[in-house]
Structures are given as structure tokens and as C-alpha cells.
Amino acid sequence: MNTFKRKALFAAVVAGLGTVGTAEAVFIAPNRTGQALVYPYYTVQNSGTNSWNTYISVVNTTTDAKAVKVRILEGRTSAEVLDFNLFLSPNDVWTAAIIPSDATDGSAGRIITADASCTAPAIPTDGQPFRNTQYVAQAAGLGRDLARTREGYIEIIEMASLTGATAAAVTHDNGVPDDCTVVRTNSTTDILADSLPPGGGLTGTGTLINVNNGMDAGYKPEALDAFSDSVIYTGPGSTSPALADATPPTSVVFNSGYTIPVALVGGSIYATVYRSEFVSPFTDLSSGAMAAASVFMHESVLNEYVLDTGTNSLTDWVVTQPIKNFFVSTATAFPPYSNVLTDSGACEVVEFTYFDREERSATAGGIDFSPLPPSGPASSICWESTVLSIRNGADHMPTDDAISGVLASRNTTSINITDTFENGWASLRFAGVNATPASGVGLVADAANSQAISVGSDTYATGLPVVTPSATIFWGLPVTGFMVRTFSNGTLTCSSGSCQGNYASAFDHAYRNLITD
């Protein structure tokens, strides 16, 4: 498609959206700024005797002061291990590091910051350790100790744009907020009086760094825009808002990258925008959770792997399901999920198909996944933030299946592929009962108030996209994440002596979507 046609395509999509209204509808922002940020992974796990740390930043790219909720969630069931309020000055950048409390494998993670921006409560100079309060009563098999806080993911959600005395108090003067005690001591009612609906414009970074191993890998968080059209401020001590609070419960999903023959003048569809409203049929599942889940829904996760013997390369895939905990409990699994939470996790069946760089392919079967979950099906992932450790049996592969090769994750599943495949790409397909149209329910939008806006080759003849009512169903599971690969070249000769030749890089996943209407 040439540049002129590409511009015409996007113009047609925008025109189509205008025909179905302009109400707030949550979407993953392609420009990576928004009202809510999802950082798919943090870790302070030990790799041998060397610890990973995680650095995070959040940037306020607007001229408004903002109140945001920082939610740090462990990776097994998304239990909060620490929540607090952060107040951003206009054009502010806030930074922090997540580090281990001590050198042992069993210590808690903790957050430290040297940043001046206001938090409520204040973060102590020596950092704030994470807590196991929310999961200490869960099944013993899930782990109740503080070691469980050492890896997970992070959500940062804008609650309000600030005005008046509250905005003045948190706004920096020569790099220092005017008076943080205002937001630490004033009542929620006082701050609400100075609050306007969220305005977006947040972005940030995550960095996984292991200084002694010579490894560093950075990523950008997912940005959700149009998350809420109203103030959602809560005071310190509240774990709300969460991703389930998308308001109104409506989403926009852009599905592109394919051509399907249809009965149109031009004979093909290039892209479809699904504007979907959700009305939950379940008492214990919010419509907002369904809307937020829809923007993360993917049938398959796609990425590369490198296991080269010459560079002792290793590859991990981070697969995080940031809203799974609102769909799954010990009693119920709402679609698109299929299995309830047990003492070994809520296990969802997957298929892992891989190729080398010369198009040869194979499929990893259940016997190739290790360790198998005690009460879960073979070939499954069971945690809400799982690290897939891809291995091929070469001599430099890790020998401990309970620890991933790159990130030293304990929430890991090892995938063993043939030892003749050193590099290539792979597809992780969600194959649970409710994730697939052959047998399941999927994530279903309200047919009466949802639309599919299709742009095909006929658009260039008519100038208009095809807009139809849509009983939209999203298949797969809500997921995000990235791949981390390493190259280890040993000790190199440098101009000043010897230096370490280890390198790491992170790359976002690609995806296949399956959406029916």
C-alpha cells in the first residue's frame, strides 16, 4: 500500500469512528502516552549470587499537576504488595528503583527513590519493603512468604488532574514541591474538591538491570488512554482504582495487518476498528474489567528466540495477564478464562509452535514443558505474570527448571525445544476451552451498542468505510509482555585491561488477534 492509500485508510477509520459517537472508550495508545500505564514486569530475583534490580520512571508530559495511583502487584495472583499515591508536577519525571531488602532469596522486594515529587505516604529514605498482607491467607501452595514479592508487574493509573491549592502544593519550585504535607494530611474530600477528570499524557520506562552480570534491558510500558471520563481519586490506603475501573465500560481495538476476501467492491478488508460496549452478565465481574481486558486480547503471542552456542545465548519471554485476577478466583473462572485458581495457580492451556531461521518448524508438546504444574494440565501457564524460559538442551542451558535462564524468575515455565534449533521465532497460542471459538465463549461485547468499522479496498472508490452493528467476540486471553535475550562473550581484552562481554536486550511481543462479529 503506498503512502497516499495508507493516509486514506486512517482518514477513513477516523471518519467511521465519528459516525458511532465520541464517548470515552479505553484503548492502547499507539503513541505510548495515556491515563494508565502497565509495566509488564519487575524483578529483584537473584541470578546466582547477583541480584536483578528494576528501575521505573513515569513522565507527565502535560502542563497539569496530576494525582496517580502506583500499584505494585506480585506475579502469581496479582495481589498488591504495595500501593501509594504519587503527585506529579507539570512536566515532571518521577523515578524509583525496586531492589531486594537483603541478599537472600527469601527477602522482600522494596522500593526506594531519591525523587522530590510528593508521595502519600512518604517513602522512607532507606526504602519501603513490600508486604504479603493480601496473599498471606491464600493456599500454602501459592506461597505465603515475602519471597513472593520479588517479581511481578506494576500499574500506574491517573486518578485526577489537579487544580487550586492541591496543584500548587505539589508543583515544583526550583525542583522541589511547594508543600508535600498538604497531600499527606489533607482529607480525600479536600483533594477531590481540587480534582478534574484525568487528562492523560503519562508515559514512562522500565529497566531490568543486573550490574554484576553486566545485563541491562529496558522497555516501555503499555499506555491506556481514555481510561476514565471522571475523577477516580482515592486516598492513601485504598487499592483502588484498578484496571477494572475503566469508565465507561467501552473499548476501541484496531485490528490490522491482514487481507480477507469479502463481498465488497474492492474485494478485501485492510483493517477493522471495533468499538465495543460491555455489559457484564456476571455479578462478580465488572463491565469495566471486560472493557479493559478487550484491549489486551490476543489469540497468540509472537516473538523470537536466540540460544546460540557460540555466544552462550539465552531467551526468556515475559507473559503477563494484567487483568486476570478480576476474572479468576478459587470458585469461578469467567470467560475467556477456563480454569479456577488452585494451590498451583490458575492454569490455562497453551500451544507453543516454533521455527528456526530457515522455516523448519516443530511444536512443543506437553511432555516438553517442565516443571508440570501439580494439578494443572500439561502445556499450560499458571501465573498472572509468567516467564517462559526457552531451552534447547545445549551444554550452556540452565540445569534448574525452577529458575528461568535470563531473569532468574521463580514464576517460570521451561519450554524445551529441539537441540538443532539455535535461533528463530515462535508462537504461543492460547488454547483453553473458553479462549477458542471451537469450544468456548470468549470475551463478548454488547451487540446492541457495539460497532465494527471496516476499511477495505472499496473505501478508495466510495470514500466511506463499512460500519455495521457488531456482536463482537474477542478470542484468546488478555496479555502483554516482551522477550529478553542475552549474549555472553566472556572476558574480553580492552584498552585498559579486561572487561565483561555480556549483553542483554528486550523486545516487545507481536501478536495475532482473533475477533469475530
Side-chain angles (χ1 to χ4, degrees):
M1 192 185 303
N2 63 31
T3 301
F4 176 80
K5 287 186 176 181
R6 192 180 303 273
K7 290 180 178 177
L9 166 63
F10 287 106
V13 170
V14 171
L17 277 172
T19 67
V20 295
T22 57
E24 197 93 338
V26 63
F27 65 98
I28 292 183
N31 61 5
R32 310 206 80 137
T33 66
Q35 294 179 8
L37 304 176
V38 178
Y39 299 70
Y41 191 64
Y42 78 83
T43 181
V44 299
Q45 295 288 15
N46 288 332
S47 179
T49 59
N50 300 325
S51 172
W52 285 91
N53 290 183
T54 303
Y55 303 159
I56 60 171
S57 71
V58 56
V59 183
N60 177 11
T61 66
T62 77
T63 56
D64 296 325
K66 294 181 181 293
V68 304
K69 183 74 71 176
V70 179
R71 307 179 73 238
I72 303 174
L73 305 106
E74 56 79 36
R76 295 197 171 182
T77 65
S78 296
E80 286 92 343
V81 295
L82 199 72
D83 287 10
F84 56 91
N85 288 359
L86 167 66
F87 297 87
L88 297 170
S89 178
N91 303 308
D92 194 8
V93 181
W94 180 77
T95 61
I98 300 176
I99 64 174
S101 290
D102 62 42
T104 66
D105 286 342
S107 68
R110 62 185 170 118
I111 191 167
I112 60 172
T113 182
D115 200 287
S117 297
C118 300
T119 64
I123 296 174
T125 303
D126 59 351
Q128 175 59 50
F130 296 163
R131 301 170 175 176
N132 61 355
T133 308
Q134 279 211 337
Y135 63 78
V136 70
Q138 288 184 345
L142 295 171
R144 295 170 176 169
D145 59 16
L146 290 170
R148 192 168 143 186
T149 70
R150 294 174 66 88
E151 61 182 300
Y153 64 99
I154 303 163
E155 299 169 0
I156 295 181
I157 300 174
E158 182 182 358
M159 300 183 289
S161 292
L162 299 173
T163 62
T166 305
V170 303
T171 296
H172 293 186
D173 181 10
N174 291 322
V176 180
D178 183 64
D179 187 2
C180 287
T181 61
V182 170
V183 293
R184 291 171 184 159
T185 60
N186 278 12
S187 68
T188 297
T189 301
D190 291 335
I191 296 176
L192 282 170
D194 286 339
S195 296
L196 297 174
L202 299 180
T203 187
T205 59
T207 303
L208 310 175
I209 185 167
N210 191 317
V211 175
N212 290 335
N213 281 355
M215 301 294 184
D216 176 289
Y219 64 82
K220 295 288 288 183
E222 297 277 19
L224 278 63
D225 215 357
F227 180 76
S228 177
D229 62 0
S230 58
V231 174
I232 48 177
Y233 181 84
T234 61
S238 172
T239 58
S240 296
L243 290 185
D245 295 319
T247 306
T250 305
S251 71
V252 170
V253 174
F254 187 98
N255 197 30
S256 64
Y258 66 97
T259 300
I260 301 175
V262 293
L264 297 174
V265 174
S268 61
I269 291 176
Y270 296 137
T272 301
V273 176
Y274 295 92
R275 183 181 181 278
S276 306
E277 184 173 310
F278 291 86
V279 178
S280 176
F282 308 107
T283 302
D284 295 329
L285 176 64
S286 74
S287 300
M290 297 178 71
S294 70
V295 304
F296 289 103
M297 287 290 288
H298 303 294
E299 184 231 20
S300 300
V301 177
L302 313 174
N303 219 320
E304 298 178 46
Y305 65 90
V306 180
L307 306 173
D308 293 356
T309 300
T311 54
N312 291 325
S313 294
L314 300 172
T315 299
D316 280 357
W317 285 16
V318 172
V319 179
T320 294
Q321 301 169 72
I323 203 163
K324 180 179 178 180
N325 59 316
F326 293 100
F327 285 78
V328 174
S329 69
T330 56
T332 308
F334 297 116
Y337 288 96
S338 303
N339 295 305
V340 300
L341 178 66
T342 70
D343 61 2
S344 57
C347 299
E348 293 291 323
V349 176
V350 296
E351 295 174 355
F352 191 85
T353 302
Y354 57 95
F355 300 79
D356 69 4
R357 290 178 179 168
E358 309 306 327
E359 302 88 39
R360 293 177 298 176
S361 67
T363 299
I367 60 172
D368 288 329
F369 283 76
S370 59
L372 294 177
S375 60
S379 303
S380 63
I381 56 175
C382 300
W383 307 127
E384 301 194 10
S385 185
T386 299
V387 176
L388 302 183
S389 183
I390 303 174
R391 311 177 184 203
N392 68 352
D395 289 343
H396 71 280
M397 291 292 110
T399 57
D400 189 344
D401 282 336
I403 301 176
S404 73
V406 178
L407 297 170
S409 170
R410 275 59 167 177
N411 298 341
T412 189
T413 294
S414 295
I415 299 179
N416 300 312
I417 66 176
T418 177
D419 58 7
T420 62
F421 283 38
E422 284 197 343
N423 44 60
W425 72 278
S427 167
L428 179 76
R429 176 178 172 270
F430 300 110
V433 171
N434 282 327
T436 58
S439 55
V441 176
L443 184 70
V444 183
D446 177 41
N449 294 292
S450 301
Q451 295 84 19
I453 307 151
S454 297
V455 179
S457 53
D458 70 324
T459 301
Y460 307 117
T462 65
L464 295 173
V466 178
V467 182
T468 57
S470 177
T472 308
I473 306 176
F474 299 84
W475 300 99
L477 294 177
V479 64
T480 185
F482 52 86
M483 173 266 284
V484 181
R485 70 184 185 193
T486 61
F487 297 94
S488 299
N489 294 293
T491 302
L492 305 179
T493 301
C494 301
S495 58
S496 59
S498 62
C499 56
Q500 198 174 62
N502 297 337
Y503 307 92
S505 298
F507 299 90
D508 290 344
H509 293 316
Y511 304 99
R512 287 195 185 106
N513 291 350
L514 180 57
I515 305 171
T516 57
D517 54 26

